[in-house]
Amino acid sequence: AARAFGIFAAASLVRFRTNIRDPKEITVLLVCLGVGLAAGVGRWDMAIILSVFVLLTLAILEYFEESQVFRSMQVSVSTRNTDTTHAVLKRIFTSNRFDIELRELNRPDEDKPMGKIVYVVNMRANVSTDRLSDEILASDADNIDTVEWEQKESQTYMYK
């Protein structure tokens, strides 16, 4: 019973004092507490088995994590012909299998010769916005003037 209360107290301190962005972090902290307690009471066999099990499990989780994490970006494109550019953007985003949502479509008029298209794009964390910008500019070089990217929500990545 004393060990159980000790684990609870230590977990409470760690949980409330540490900014945890990933549920995996709190799990690792609790497992470390368990390994430390097992080693402290002389159960080296249990500490070693738990450590090996956790290391293997974390290696497997880290291997598959990249496909589960995405970042949400807002792309703003200034263009002379919104219809052509809109079709080009949809083709590029669908070929890369991004989740997209059209937020704004302003057509050019007499007052403003440049139209604007704004998309929110959910993309994998390892996708380069520089490469995408180059691809967008090359696909419709006659019409597109600028491509701007902005990270949405927070700086942390999200899980699907």
Side-chain angles (χ1 to χ4, degrees):
R3 287 186 194 136
F5 283 116
I7 290 174
F8 177 73
S12 296
L13 284 173
V14 169
R15 177 68 179 111
F16 295 120
R17 304 261 188 244
T18 308
N19 182 16
I20 297 182
R21 292 173 274 151
D22 186 2
K24 191 171 42 178
E25 291 178 14
I26 190 69
T27 305
V28 168
L29 287 171
L30 290 174
V31 168
C32 288
L33 283 170
V35 169
L37 283 172
V41 296
R43 294 292 311 264
W44 292 101
D45 55 339
M46 182 182 290
I48 291 171
I49 291 171
L50 182 60
S51 297
V52 169
F53 173 75
V54 168
L55 287 174
L56 288 174
T57 305
L58 285 174
I60 292 169
L61 288 174
E62 291 289 327
Y63 179 77
F64 291 109
E65 184 176 29
E66 187 175 300
S67 64
Q68 296 295 315
V69 177
F70 71 96
R71 61 183 170 163
S72 186
M73 302 286 287
Q74 178 173 302
V75 60
S76 302
V77 179
S78 298
T79 179
R80 292 172 191 82
N81 186 340
T82 53
D83 295 330
T84 306
T85 305
H86 181 62
V88 165
L89 289 172
K90 282 181 74 171
R91 180 180 48 78
I92 290 173
F93 294 150
T94 12
S95 70
N96 285 299
R97 295 189 307 265
F98 295 152
D99 294 330
I100 58 170
E101 181 180 336
L102 179 65
R103 287 291 172 97
E104 189 178 328
L105 180 66
N106 294 331
R107 300 189 187 281
D109 55 14
E110 297 82 29
D111 297 337
K112 296 180 186 173
M114 297 298 281
K116 183 177 180 183
I117 302 173
V118 178
Y119 270 102
V120 172
V121 182
N122 293 329
M123 61 178 65
R124 292 176 303 282
N126 60 354
V127 174
S128 167
T129 54
D130 290 339
R131 182 189 60 81
L132 277 174
S133 296
D134 292 342
E135 186 178 346
I136 290 169
L137 287 168
S139 297
D140 194 14
D142 296 335
N143 295 320
I144 296 178
D145 186 45
T146 60
V147 177
E148 296 177 11
W149 294 90
E150 179 184 341
Q151 180 109 17
K152 294 302 291 176
E153 297 178 22
S154 69
Q155 292 297 331
T156 60
Y157 296 111
M158 298 167 277
Y159 289 87
K160 287 184 181 178

